[in-house]
Amino acid sequence: VTTRGSPRQGLPMRVGLNFESVKLKPVEFLGIKVPDTLPNLGFDLPKIPGIDPENGPGYFDVSYLDDELLIIRQNAPGGLFALVKTNDYDP
């Protein structure tokens, strides 16, 4: 999912989210690795009429941020998420 984040005016710890597109890359099918020759699938998400992207409904508030930890609070239905920076990633 391609998402654009931007600060909300007047709310320095709020990050607005605008979901713009979806791109899928086939990796496995029924446990069998898929060759790179298969095309990626993707499409742009439609814009919601009457919604200003700068004031749209998607956002999160930054509760804490340092070099290794980000804690965010989402709008309704809500949730508190902690994201930890890592140097190694092996899916």
Side-chain angles (χ1 to χ4, degrees):
V1 175
T2 302
T3 308
R4 184 174 50 87
S6 59
R8 294 284 170 93
Q9 191 146 2
L11 299 166
M13 299 304 284
R14 180 160 292 175
V15 177
L17 299 173
N18 297 311
F19 297 93
E20 298 178 345
S21 65
V22 174
K23 293 180 183 165
L24 305 171
K25 178 179 178 170
V27 178
E28 280 187 13
F29 182 72
L30 299 175
I32 301 169
K33 291 194 181 221
V34 175
D36 288 336
T37 56
L38 287 178
N40 295 342
L41 306 171
F43 58 91
D44 291 336
L45 297 172
K47 305 292 183 224
I48 301 172
I51 299 289
D52 175 16
E54 296 304 316
N55 296 313
Y59 70 85
F60 63 84
D61 293 319
V62 176
S63 297
Y64 180 81
L65 175 65
D66 69 14
D67 290 339
E68 297 192 13
L69 179 65
L70 168 64
I71 299 176
I72 62 171
R73 183 178 305 275
Q74 288 186 327
N75 61 334
L80 191 64
F81 298 88
L83 297 96
V84 179
K85 182 178 178 180
T86 179
N87 293 327
D88 295 331
Y89 174 71
D90 185 17

